[in-house]
């Protein structure tokens, strides 16, 4: 559950800043240049007509893998490169959508 009205994006910034040992305002680039913070904050919110969505979202910020789940919990982990995840000699490919 969201802690005392703190937004998810604020929790992400605070946790990453803590890991980096800096003040949250000193993180560069700011979180909003990496992810849509308004969308992140509203992703798992309940409204008067809908229940809270279930799931999780992951993204990279400041060299960390950030995971936010539907309870509002934010976890920060080390980023793993594409090659480390998929083995040596692999290269990222661009996903394409077909009609």
């Amino acid at each position: 559950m969201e802690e005392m009205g703190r937004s998810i994006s604020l929790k992400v910034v605070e946790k990453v800043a803590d890991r980096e040992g800096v003040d949250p305002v000193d993180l560069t680039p700011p979180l909003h240049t990496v992810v849509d913070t308004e969308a992140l904050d509203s992703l798992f919110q309940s409204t008067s007509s809908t229940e809270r969505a279930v799931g999780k979202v992951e993204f990279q910020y400041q060299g960390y893998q950030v995971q936010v789940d539907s309870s509002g919990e934010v976890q920060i982990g080390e980023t793993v490169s594409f090659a480390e995840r998929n083995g040596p000699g692999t290269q990222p490919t661009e996903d394409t959508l077909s009609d």
Side-chain angles (χ1 to χ4, degrees):
M1 192 146 281
E2 209 168 306
E3 299 172 48
M4 309 259 292
R6 286 179 32 232
S7 69
I8 290 174
S9 58
L10 179 59
K11 288 195 274 186
V12 168
V13 169
E14 288 172 343
K15 285 190 174 228
V16 170
D18 186 52
R19 281 274 185 104
E20 291 290 301
V22 299
D23 192 273
V25 298
D26 292 332
L27 290 174
T28 355
L31 181 60
H32 72 271
T33 64
V34 175
V35 67
D36 182 336
T37 54
E38 289 181 25
L40 180 63
D41 290 339
S42 66
L43 187 60
F44 298 120
Q45 286 182 343
S46 299
T47 67
S48 58
S49 60
T50 62
E51 292 186 23
R52 179 183 296 234
V54 176
K56 66 181 176 181
V57 64
E58 293 184 35
F59 57 93
Q60 292 182 6
Y61 179 56
Q62 295 288 334
Y64 296 98
Q65 189 70 24
V66 178
Q67 183 182 84
V68 178
D69 69 24
S70 53
S71 70
E73 182 177 345
V74 175
Q75 295 183 1
I76 308 293
E78 298 299 320
T79 298
V80 177
S81 73
F82 182 86
E84 290 172 318
R85 213 174 324 138
N86 296 297
T90 56
Q91 296 295 317
T93 58
E94 186 174 319
D95 290 333
T96 57
L97 297 174
S98 48
D99 293 67

